Amino acid sequence: MHVSARTPDVLPAVIIGGGRIGLALQQMGPGTDQMVRRGESIPEDSKGPIFVCTRNDVLEGIVESTPADRREDLVFLQNGVLQPWLESKGLGSNTQALIYFAVAKLGDPPGDGITDLNPEGLTAVTGKWAEALAGRLKAGGLSCKVLEEGPFKVSMFEKLIWISAFMLVGARHPGATVGEVESAHTDEVGQLINELSAGVTAETGVVFEEKLVERLCAYARSVAHFPTAVKEFEWRNGYFYSITTKALEAGKLDPFPIHTSWLKEAGAA
């Protein structure tokens, strides 16, 4: 376990995961954060939020290894649709965050998720420890919106659509970066964004603000160097494919025919 020595006047936390995001959060901390790395346990005397900065595929083990009386303090920063899984673990009300700031490599200062269409920033958080995370990010010079459950759900689906669409279109054009998808394959990614958003609205009732394609493309330009790949399928594109599977099994039309066709083309489904 490692202790930080950085920014005062920020609520101390436990940080699980010493990768790019975990280290960035530690560097914004008060100097008394406790960093928990693989194989280490959450300190028994710890208090406050527990920022989970890991891949989705290790979340099960993290929850199981967290003392029962501390599980409500877990703050999830992962991409994808977490809510059904969280509810299955009795953690449906836990703090969740949508991280739009980017860290190019370990130890680098983060670049904020600000675009020409969202100059107020895109990073958002909801739940018990929302103010604690927002305060830490703002102390580090980053934007962060504290949202109620409803608006957060809309923002969560927007980010899901962004990552699912840009990664899949990128997979159709091997080696393409996010920026190249946005600039060279604009029609493809726009078509897919429109299909996914319409299907989400039909499935959940979530309604998106106007200019969704433009806003998601604006964010893509801010992280243009990012590589593309379809991964963490269960949490990302798998959300849409599960709806497709359910519809087809019920004898209905596929609500995401383009998505399904391109997934199969990429060998991801």
Side-chain angles (χ1 to χ4, degrees):
M1 193 189 315
H2 307 270
V3 178
S4 68
R6 305 291 177 186
T7 310
D9 303 322
V10 171
L11 189 67
V14 174
I15 301 173
I16 301 178
R20 290 177 295 173
I21 298 299
L23 182 59
L25 289 180
Q26 185 188 43
Q27 289 173 336
M28 302 174 208
T32 52
D33 290 330
Q34 295 170 299
M35 177 75 79
V36 176
R37 302 185 187 277
R38 182 173 299 181
E40 296 179 341
S41 300
I42 294 173
E44 293 183 4
D45 60 346
S46 66
K47 297 179 181 179
I50 304 172
F51 298 128
V52 184
C53 309
T54 67
R55 300 187 313 275
N56 298 54
D57 61 5
V58 299
L59 292 178
E60 186 93 25
I62 288 171
V63 170
E64 290 178 359
S65 66
T66 301
D69 64 346
R70 290 283 277 137
R71 290 179 184 176
E72 68 177 35
D73 298 315
L74 291 168
V75 177
F76 295 93
L77 289 78
Q78 288 70 27
N79 281 310
V81 178
L82 300 181
Q83 194 61 34
W85 182 83
L86 290 174
E87 290 175 357
S88 75
K89 300 298 177 184
L91 304 175
S93 298
N94 274 54
T95 306
Q96 295 182 58
L98 303 171
I99 300 302
Y100 276 92
F101 63 83
V103 182
K105 64 178 184 293
L106 191 69
D108 276 7
D112 207 351
I114 292 176
T115 73
D116 50 352
L117 294 182
N118 289 102
E120 77 284 4
L122 289 163
T123 295
V125 62
T126 191
K128 175 181 177 179
W129 293 111
E131 295 288 354
L133 178 59
R136 177 178 292 252
L137 296 181
K138 289 172 183 176
L142 301 176
S143 62
C144 184
K145 297 178 285 189
V146 175
L147 300 178
E148 296 297 325
E149 183 179 344
F152 183 85
K153 186 176 182 181
V154 177
S155 293
M156 181 277 293
F157 275 117
E158 287 201 9
K159 191 171 191 209
L160 174 69
I161 290 169
W162 182 86
I163 201 165
S164 298
F166 274 86
M167 296 300 115
L168 181 53
V169 172
R172 302 190 77 215
H173 305 280
T177 63
V178 165
E180 289 165 347
V181 169
E182 189 275 330
S183 62
H185 308 291
T186 313
D187 290 345
E188 286 180 40
V189 78
Q191 187 180 20
L192 186 53
I193 288 169
N194 284 330
E195 177 181 271
L196 298 180
S197 60
V200 166
T201 297
E203 179 74 14
T204 68
V206 165
V207 177
F208 300 98
E209 293 183 9
E210 295 180 355
K211 297 186 176 181
L212 178 61
V213 172
E214 291 87 345
R215 286 187 283 109
L216 297 189
C217 283
Y219 176 62
R221 291 192 294 273
S222 76
V223 290
H225 62 287
F226 277 20
T228 59
V230 176
K231 55 186 180 181
E232 294 189 333
F233 183 82
E234 173 189 354
W235 309 89
R236 301 181 186 184
N237 296 79
Y239 171 80
F240 304 105
Y241 193 64
S242 67
I243 296 173
T244 287
T245 302
K246 184 175 65 174
L248 295 177
E249 289 176 348
K252 300 178 181 179
L253 294 175
D254 184 352
F256 305 115
I258 298 170
H259 179 258
T260 301
S261 173
W262 291 354
L263 276 181
K264 292 180 177 178
E265 180 185 294

